[in-house]
Amino acid sequence: MALRNVFGAIGIATLALAGAGLMPAAAAAQTAPATPAALAGVAGDWLVVPRRTPDSIAIGGIPRSFRLTVEGGTVKGLFRFNGWDYPIANWVARPDGHAFDLTGKPPFVKMRARATADGRFMDIWIGDEVVGVAPFLARRVTATELAAIERSAPRPDNMTKLPLPAPRDLGVRNLAPVPPMGWNSWNVFREAVDDRSVRAMADVLVRSGLRDAGYRYVTIDDGWQGQRDAAGVLHPNAKFPDMKGLVDYIHARGLKVGIYSSPGPVTCTGYVGSHGHEAQDAKTFAAWGFDLLKYDWCSAGNIYDTRVEMQARYQIMGAALQATGRDIVYSLCQYGLYDVGSWGNAVGGHMWRTGGDSIEGDLWHAVDYRFDHNGDARDAGPSAWNDADMMLVGIDGLTPEEYRTHYTLWTMAASPIILGNDLRVMTPAVKAIVANPGVIAVGQDRAGVQGRRVAQAGATEIWSKRLADGSTAVALFNRGAAPAAMTVDWRSLGLPVPKRVRDLWHDADVPAAADYTVQVPRHGAVLLRAS
Ligand code: GAL
């Protein structure tokens, strides 16, 4: 759990990394002693760089680095991560990869590193088998370069515990009567998000008709932050030259705008967080005109250890947002820890993530996982949404059938639907999935019921969701690798034999009889509306 906090929500899907053989499995198998040459190859200073642009320096967050020296025949040094130092211990050099431990809070054992043949880069895997492993790419730099980069980086303050308020129920204003829909920058841009790309997404939402289909929130995720000034006011980095202008531009297009921060001093990607500056930052966000805040635990996990502490840190920002007087949807992102559904509303939250990041690792695995991890349906309702994380529809790694299954599950689970794909290059097929009005209506149903699994046989399952007009949405899911014939027997599901049954993905009526049998493709879904 601590790893998740420190290293960001390393998705459950990342677990697949180890299994997929992406981690060098060498360390366990190899026993050859360290050669001086192997040690010399890793000694030096290493800067973690974006994999897609390895020659750049970190874009604006706190640099992450390794400083490695050879002492007494072994490698010693430090991993500097988002402002915290982790001394390296037990370095074991092997011809095809190195193993080491990170001490500090929390400690990480059996990490892996492997330098590229030319000695310029090093692949490093940090994490553990339980919550996932994050792969980093580091580039060799000189000590002088690293020192200069660190000097010019944002300096977070408040890196130790601050006083906690007494718990109280802030109550929640009904700003999200149905699950929020929109787009978020993280899945496609990560830290490269900038003013231009966000404006472009707003334009596409309008032009494509997606805004009118219901997608209203455009959220800037991690990577917009610059430095605090002498008065502590947080400013955007150079990629966002005019935040107010950007927000106005998006508002003028009939959309709402979201922003991102962390209750820790640092976000998951090393940008400045709101720890100790909550009231100030809430005012800044309100003054810029934001309508939603995604608040991501991240480095708060380096400081706080208990549910009481976590709840208090979320309460502080919840109260700060309410005090601005602006309607700001409060989106909690703490990966579903500590039964958040039972206290999310009390800290002023409107939605809360139920797990790690779907985008990391095997995408089908990430979707499939949500069948069993959706938060407690009893916690869900207007302005209280279990958030299954941003959408993977339109992102490489899933088939069209899997996109539909993903969308159907999120809809049945009354999750917010926050697109994560590059809307500018969305194919007509992808658009048809995310803009299907009958399907959207099920997700946006004003009764706000989170659907549940009502029948299960092997890899197939049936979910049902009661809708405001008295009809019922019924989804047939096939999680298996082969097609399956599935039957809905209305009475055995406790439902009357319907007068009309509509297949929403095909936008066509199907026979309204005592039961209905349909072939469901592998990893596929059928969504029916029975009235
Ligand atoms: C993760 C979060 C992601 C994204 C990322 C940004 O913790 O779960 O959705 O916001 O941080 O660094």
Side-chain angles (χ1 to χ4, degrees), residues 4-5 7-11 64 184 186-187 190-191 221-223 225 260-261 267-271 294-298 333-335 353 355-360 389-390:
R4 253 184 240 227
N5 299 344
F7 291 95
I10 292 163
R64 301 163 173 191
N184 172 300
W186 184 250
N187 283 0
R190 303 214 172 209
E191 289 172 75
D221 206 280
D222 207 357
Q225 308 89 329
Y260 170 98
S261 191
T267 69
C268 296
T269 317
Y271 293 83
K294 172 173 167 184
Y295 207 44
D296 193 351
W297 189 236
C298 300
C333 178
Q334 42 77 287
Y335 337 120
R353 284 267 295 272
D357 295 13
S358 303
I359 190 76
E360 307 296 340
D389 195 17
M390 294 159 314

Side-chain angles (χ1 to χ4, degrees), residues 318-471:
L321 291 175
Q322 290 182 353
T324 66
R326 188 173 169 82
D327 289 349
I328 300 179
V329 168
Y330 189 25
S331 164
L332 314 189
C333 178
Q334 42 77 287
Y335 337 120
L337 300 171
Y338 297 128
D339 191 20
V340 58
S342 69
W343 52 266
N345 268 168
V347 299
H350 298 90
M351 54 193 269
W352 35 83
R353 284 267 295 272
T354 53
D357 295 13
S358 303
I359 190 76
E360 307 296 340
D362 178 76
L363 300 191
W364 170 250
H365 176 74
V367 171
D368 189 63
Y369 177 90
R370 298 291 168 184
F371 280 98
D372 308 307
H373 302 88
N374 255 311
D376 191 329
R378 288 168 302 187
D379 297 329
S383 290
W385 307 111
N386 284 312
D387 176 3
D389 195 17
M390 294 159 314
M391 305 305 287
L392 304 168
V393 177
I395 291 175
D396 286 347
L398 292 173
T399 67
E401 211 54 68
E402 291 167 343
Y403 287 155
R404 262 189 297 277
T405 301
H406 168 26
Y407 203 100
T408 306
L409 182 60
W410 266 234
T411 295
M412 290 298 286
S415 171
I417 303 276
I418 308 296
L419 301 176
N421 57 318
D422 187 342
L423 305 172
R424 296 167 301 187
V425 294
M426 182 172 46
T427 64
V430 165
K431 175 155 176 232
I433 292 171
V434 301
N436 180 307
V439 176
I440 289 176
V442 170
Q444 294 287 288
D445 188 76
R446 64 189 153 80
V449 172
Q450 177 170 327
R452 297 163 196 250
R453 178 191 294 134
V454 289
Q456 190 168 20
T460 65
E461 40 192 82
I462 298 179
W463 286 52
S464 142
K465 174 179 179 178
R466 190 175 49 75
L467 304 176
D469 68 355
S471 62

Side-chain angles (χ1 to χ4, degrees), residues 170 295 312-323 330 347-349:
L170 301 180
Y295 207 44
R313 295 323 301 182
Y314 275 97
Q315 178 184 313
I316 293 172
M317 183 52 98
L321 291 175
Q322 290 182 353
Y330 189 25
V347 299

